[in-house]
Amino acid sequence: MQENKTVRQIHRWCSVAFTIAVIIDFVAIMLGYYRDESALWVFYLPLPPLAVQLFTGLYLFVLPYLGRRRTPRRADTA
Ligand code: HEM
């Protein structure tokens, strides 16, 4: 149960990091940094938090189905 809470917290805080990285990208575009090849790394900034989002998000998605499988069904108890 505790690890589910930890995964949810990681997902929540990485969403903040991802959003900040996207805002930085918009500002970089407005300032014309996309023309500067040495500044292109800025546009990869959202990818690490997004990768964490993907795996923690998929874990959070399957969690309710895993829980249901472990509890006995009505037919099993009859
Ligand atoms: C990349 C693929 C992603 C997947 C598969 C995914 C999946 C999920 C799932 C299954 C939940 C739990 C929903 C529930 O409570 O039943 C969740 C919660 C959440 N997601 Fe994602 N997500 C993804 C990306 C993102 C992104 C990009 C953001 C925001 C920038 C985001 C923000 C959140 C937030 C804030 C919550 C609520 C966390 C909490 O309960 O504290 N997610 N996500």
Side-chain angles (χ1 to χ4, degrees):
M1 203 63 185
Q2 182 59 40
E3 71 189 41
N4 300 346
K5 215 175 153 187
T6 310
V7 172
R8 194 172 277 275
Q9 287 294 91
I10 292 170
H11 192 80
R12 178 183 286 194
W13 283 104
C14 278
S15 78
V16 175
F18 173 78
T19 306
I20 290 171
V22 171
I23 291 169
I24 289 172
D25 279 0
F26 272 94
V27 173
I29 289 168
M30 285 191 286
L31 295 178
Y33 278 102
Y34 60 89
R35 285 189 225 106
D36 183 354
E37 233 175 84
S38 64
L40 291 184
W41 62 268
V42 172
F43 299 102
Y44 294 108
L45 276 182
L47 296 183
L50 185 61
V52 177
Q53 291 292 94
L54 178 63
F55 291 110
T56 53
L58 290 176
Y59 177 82
L60 289 175
F61 184 86
V62 296
L63 214 56
Y65 304 101
L66 294 177
R68 202 168 298 160
R69 211 174 49 190
R70 261 187 245 119
T71 54
R73 270 173 276 150
R74 206 173 283 171
D76 298 336
T77 54

